[in-house]
Amino acid sequence: MKTLVLAEKPDMGRNIAKAIEPKAVNKKTHLEGERYIITWAIGHLVGLAEPDKYDVRYKKWRIEDLPIIPDTFKLIPHYKTRSQLKVIADLAKQCGTIINACDAGREGQLIFSFIQQHLKLRHPVQRLWISDLTPETIRQGFAQLRDGSEFEHLTKAARARSEADWLIGMNGSRAFTTKHRELLSVGRVQTPVLALIYDREKQIEAFRSLTYYEVEAGFSQESTRYPGKWQGERITDRQRADEIAAKVKGRPGRITSYEIKDTREYPYRLYDLTLLQREANGKYGFSAKKTLDLAQSLYEKHKVITYPRTNSNYVTEQNIPEMHRALSSLQGTDYDSLVQQAARSFVHKNNRHVCNPAKVEDHHAILPTAKKAGSLSADEQKLYDMIVRRFLSHFYPPAQYKMHTVITEVAEETFKTTVKQLLDLGWKIVYSGTEDSKKNSKRKKEEENEEVETDKPFSVDKSLGVLCTDAAVQEKETQPPKPFTEGTLLKAMESAGKQIEDEDLREAIKDSGLGTPATRAATIERLKKVGYIRMQGKRIELEPKGRSAVELIRGAGIELLTSPEMTGQWERRLNEIARGQASDTAFMEKVKEFTVYIVNKVRSQPQADQAAFAQPEAPAKGRSRAASGKR
């Protein structure tokens, strides 16, 4: 008997057929070859049933009927794609074994598992686990098929995620909606994300600006000129600042300290999906969903990048030869000159900036494949360019600088100067002439630290005096926290809400973030769809309904439901279940307890005033809501 290959989507099925059954007959719903019949799901063909499938009385939303906690969860086919489910059932009867070729991740595993359960398939199952769709990788994956039982723990984690979301979403949404007579959507992940946006808006509203003053001086020593910033406690009195400037201007001074340090800057980490979404949002204004869709197209349709729904910024030793092949394939393309200058010797198994198997779980970082890019759309090209340049940068040496730190004293006042002298661009040549978002953000940060960048030689002589040629007072104001963009919100979701700037520390808690790389975009889209947030350019603005939802949830005493840290811990536990380190049964018992707790808290809550959900009057023409004070 033949083997049935079940892919997640039609494009993937056709790619598999081209690689393993090039002469397969196209029968529209499937492709049939000598050894394999290849068909596909169309995303989720089967899902968890709505409450009314357990009891007809649940068709009406009544708080008296809550909580709804099924003993066993029922599955139901999605109406629009039920014909494809029948195709799979009929084809399975003709086959002796099945290969699960759905996306290699938790959601792909769930799609297959639900189909398998609903159709009562009893066939032996093997698993295709690959990270790109090039013919070579597909054939290699079929040569190394794994037994389906190896993924039992991943299936348990996928089901636990799905059932937990059902329990919290169905019961929480019904409880708040029926109590407050307003359609309020509640979710295990979406509610903490909404709370992040709410808390940021409250911080902005509570912010009170403070005016302060900085004294900046100019110094000269023979032919060398350099600026310096006055050192001391923040000055809030303009007269005090003016006095310091007048005191030092035109006066001689001395260098009390001069330190030189050689530093290196290594390439930025390879992309995972969230980092790619964040940077594409900052650079091009792409929404998280748009970036995911573009990346999926580059992966499935064009086959020019590896699997995009990854949470890793590293590769394994086995990926190093693939990276070298991908580098060679870029010869003769628009990147040819960069390839000619690249050195393969920088990408090797001992380079921990690239190769770190301990930080690769299901999938390695996003890489270009050895397939040359053909006709990409303008936006696909932009995203592909980001991925290729990040990849190429790792075949270059680190950028090298000399850091000069000068402490100058004039009239008993102290000034500090930091000069960053470029010695060798190294990998930064890959971005020369481009507007790289991370590079720009880094430069802004450096400007805030009063760093002066130069590619010209710089030096001073500590033994010689200096002259303060000028001194001026700069009036400045403290700035409020910035409203979230999709890019900065993704960063907050990834770190479970902890606003951590340190990359390594963020990496350490990465597995306890809100949602997964594959689901974060959908969460943001969901918040837009239910009317909780809206976009004002790149900026995310909270709608009255979203504000009221958070206040009602917290007012009911269910702060846990809005806690990013708690939901991050749930995500961590799901990862532990997937690795066989935790029990899915114990996890679900905790979720059920929390579901009961939510319903009981809402039941005893006073009903909200309907005015709390109303849209404010439209601001005057030409003025934003922020400008008119209606946030």
Side-chain angles (χ1 to χ4, degrees):
M1 295 181 79
K2 293 181 180 179
T3 296
L4 180 65
V5 179
L6 179 57
E8 187 164 321
K9 295 176 183 176
D11 274 352
M12 182 182 287
R14 286 188 278 268
N15 288 328
I16 290 172
K18 286 177 186 175
I20 63 166
E21 285 277 18
K23 295 181 180 179
V25 178
N26 188 345
K27 299 190 176 181
K28 293 186 178 180
T29 57
H30 63 283
L31 295 138
E32 186 165 354
E34 293 180 3
R35 294 181 57 198
Y36 300 102
I37 299 176
I38 301 105
T39 191
W40 41 80
I42 306 169
H44 283 273
L45 295 182
V46 180
L48 296 178
E50 294 286 316
D52 60 82
K53 300 302 179 185
Y54 297 91
D55 193 317
V56 71
R57 76 176 190 271
Y58 294 146
K59 281 189 175 182
K60 289 186 177 180
W61 288 29
R62 293 182 301 206
I63 200 164
E64 296 79 17
D65 291 332
L66 302 178
I68 303 168
I69 303 177
D71 292 328
T72 304
F73 283 87
K74 294 181 179 180
L75 298 178
I76 191 166
H78 293 308
Y79 181 79
K80 290 182 179 179
T81 54
R82 66 192 188 285
S83 61
Q84 185 63 19
L85 190 64
K86 185 177 185 305
V87 168
I88 295 170
D90 291 341
L91 294 175
K93 293 173 184 175
Q94 304 171 36
C95 300
T97 57
I98 298 177
I99 295 174
N100 174 5
C102 292
D103 278 359
R106 195 168 73 190
E107 283 308 296
Q109 196 67 19
L110 185 67
I111 287 170
F112 179 84
S113 176
F114 276 0
I115 292 171
Q116 183 185 34
Q117 179 186 338
H118 181 73
L119 296 180
K120 297 181 173 61
L121 303 178
R122 299 288 181 261
H123 305 62
V125 175
Q126 291 179 295
R127 186 60 158 110
L128 176 70
W129 194 267
I130 55 176
S131 285
D132 68 63
L133 290 173
T134 58
E136 297 80 12
T137 301
I138 293 170
R139 284 191 286 268
Q140 184 180 6
F142 268 80
Q144 299 171 348
L145 290 171
R146 297 162 67 178
D147 192 275
S149 62
E150 289 183 43
F151 298 87
E152 182 183 349
H153 295 304
L154 183 62
T155 302
K156 287 181 178 180
R159 285 176 170 275
R161 194 281 307 159
S162 181
E163 293 172 4
D165 283 350
W166 192 99
L167 288 171
I168 299 300
M170 286 292 181
N171 287 284
S173 298
R174 286 184 176 223
F176 279 100
T177 296
T178 53
K179 182 70 179 184
H180 302 294
R181 296 178 298 164
E182 176 74 20
L183 187 59
L184 296 173
S185 178
V186 173
R188 183 181 65 88
V189 176
Q190 74 173 47
T191 300
V193 175
L194 179 63
L196 286 177
I197 300 166
Y198 173 91
D199 290 340
R200 176 62 60 86
E201 290 238 354
K202 295 294 281 186
Q203 290 168 6
I204 293 169
E205 289 168 0
F207 179 81
R208 297 293 177 265
S209 181
L210 172 70
T211 301
Y212 65 99
Y213 304 91
E214 291 183 349
V215 180
E216 297 177 357
F219 302 102
S220 67
Q221 184 189 74
E222 297 183 334
S223 62
T224 301
R225 284 174 168 71
Y226 63 94
K229 182 180 174 183
W230 182 80
Q231 300 297 291
E233 291 186 3
R234 177 178 282 175
I235 303 171
T236 55
D237 178 6
R238 176 69 193 234
Q239 184 178 344
R240 163 80 174 133
D242 287 337
E243 288 172 355
I244 293 172
K247 179 182 178 183
V248 300
K249 187 175 182 179
R251 296 285 301 277
R254 66 191 183 94
I255 296 172
T256 61
S257 172
Y258 178 36
E259 294 181 356
I260 305 173
K261 183 181 178 182
D262 288 323
T263 64
R264 294 181 170 192
E265 284 186 16
Y266 289 88
Y268 302 126
R269 286 177 178 158
L270 293 166
Y271 284 121
D272 63 4
L273 178 57
T274 302
L275 183 58
L276 182 65
Q277 288 169 318
R278 280 168 43 192
E279 293 196 12
N281 179 255
K283 190 171 183 179
Y284 298 117
F286 291 169
S287 69
K289 181 180 184 301
K290 180 170 183 175
T291 297
L292 176 56
D293 290 345
L294 289 170
Q296 202 67 26
S297 177
L298 291 171
Y299 167 64
E300 282 187 12
K301 180 180 176 183
H302 301 288
K303 299 182 279 298
V304 293
I305 68 168
T306 58
Y307 185 75
R309 298 172 184 243
T310 175
N311 67 347
S312 178
N313 305 99
Y314 301 93
V315 303
T316 66
E317 186 177 337
Q318 289 72 35
N319 302 127
I320 301 296
E322 297 170 24
M323 292 181 72
H324 289 177
R325 281 195 294 274
L327 178 68
S328 297
S329 74
L330 290 168
Q331 291 176 345
T333 69
D334 292 343
Y335 306 98
D336 187 72
S337 62
L338 293 173
V339 175
Q340 298 306 323
Q341 299 173 68
R344 286 169 173 74
S345 58
F346 286 110
V347 175
H348 55 83
K349 66 179 182 180
N350 295 319
N351 180 350
R352 283 294 175 260
H353 294 280
V354 176
C355 185
N356 194 337
K359 293 185 178 180
V360 179
E361 291 188 3
D362 292 343
H363 300 287
H364 56 70
I366 301 172
L367 304 170
T369 67
K371 187 177 187 298
K372 281 183 164 56
S375 55
L376 305 181
S377 70
D379 287 343
E380 286 172 341
Q381 180 60 47
K382 287 175 181 176
L383 203 68
Y384 180 66
D385 182 72
M386 288 176 66
I387 294 166
V388 169
R389 289 184 188 274
R390 182 60 56 91
F391 165 80
L392 285 171
S393 69
H394 286 274
F395 289 91
Y396 281 75
Q400 297 188 49
Y401 297 88
K402 274 190 185 298
M403 299 295 293
H404 303 261
T405 305
V406 185
I407 305 297
T408 307
E409 189 179 281
V410 182
E412 299 182 339
E413 302 293 344
T414 302
F415 295 81
K416 183 178 180 181
T417 305
T418 305
V419 176
K420 186 177 183 180
Q421 180 191 348
L422 175 66
L423 301 177
D424 186 348
L425 263 179
W427 61 272
K428 292 190 175 183
I429 196 171
V430 172
Y431 294 98
S432 181
T434 68
E435 295 181 4
D436 178 69
S437 60
K438 286 202 73 169
K439 186 177 178 182
N440 288 341
S441 66
K442 197 172 183 72
R443 181 179 298 151
K444 287 177 186 175
K445 189 175 179 182
E446 289 169 352
E447 288 171 355
E448 290 169 1
N449 291 335
E450 305 302 322
E451 232 175 49
V452 178
E453 279 201 44
T454 181
D455 56 1
K456 296 180 174 62
F458 176 86
S459 69
V460 293
D461 189 333
K462 187 180 176 183
S463 65
L464 297 178
V466 300
L467 177 66
C468 179
T469 56
D470 191 26
V473 175
Q474 302 289 332
E475 182 177 309
K476 298 192 174 183
E477 287 190 347
T478 55
Q479 298 299 309
K482 293 181 179 179
F484 278 120
T485 63
E486 287 202 28
T488 57
L489 181 59
L490 284 166
K491 178 179 175 182
M493 291 170 73
E494 184 180 46
S495 59
K498 297 178 177 67
Q499 300 305 297
I500 297 171
E501 294 301 322
D502 184 273
E503 286 281 350
D504 292 325
L505 190 53
R506 263 209 315 277
E507 181 71 21
I509 66 161
K510 195 171 184 179
D511 64 347
S512 61
L514 289 171
T516 66
T519 61
R520 287 175 186 140
T523 298
I524 295 173
E525 292 302 312
R526 174 70 179 164
L527 292 175
K528 295 175 190 175
K529 185 177 180 181
V530 298
Y532 285 163
I533 63 172
R534 74 182 185 112
M535 301 304 300
Q536 186 69 30
K538 283 188 183 181
R539 192 173 72 243
I540 295 173
E541 287 197 346
L542 191 66
E543 295 282 32
K545 186 175 177 180
R547 179 183 290 258
S548 296
V550 174
E551 290 173 351
L552 286 171
I553 292 166
R554 287 177 171 167
I558 318 173
E559 292 86 351
L560 278 173
L561 191 54
T562 65
S563 164
E565 288 81 5
M566 186 210 74
T567 306
Q569 289 301 319
W570 285 21
E571 201 64 51
R572 183 195 294 270
R573 184 54 53 88
L574 289 169
N575 288 334
E576 289 172 352
I577 293 168
R579 294 192 291 265
Q581 299 167 349
S583 164
D584 58 317
T585 304
F587 171 77
M588 289 306 300
E589 284 305 313
K590 291 289 185 185
V591 174
K592 289 173 184 176
E593 289 173 13
F594 189 49
T595 301
V596 173
Y597 178 81
I598 290 171
V599 172
N600 289 340
K601 284 291 187 180
V602 178
R603 191 175 276 126
S604 61
Q605 186 179 33
Q607 191 176 86
D609 186 336
Q610 290 301 295
F613 308 108
Q615 287 284 354
E617 291 181 16
K621 191 174 182 180
R623 298 176 68 206
S624 68
R625 288 202 302 169
S628 63
K630 293 179 181 177
R631 295 190 64 83

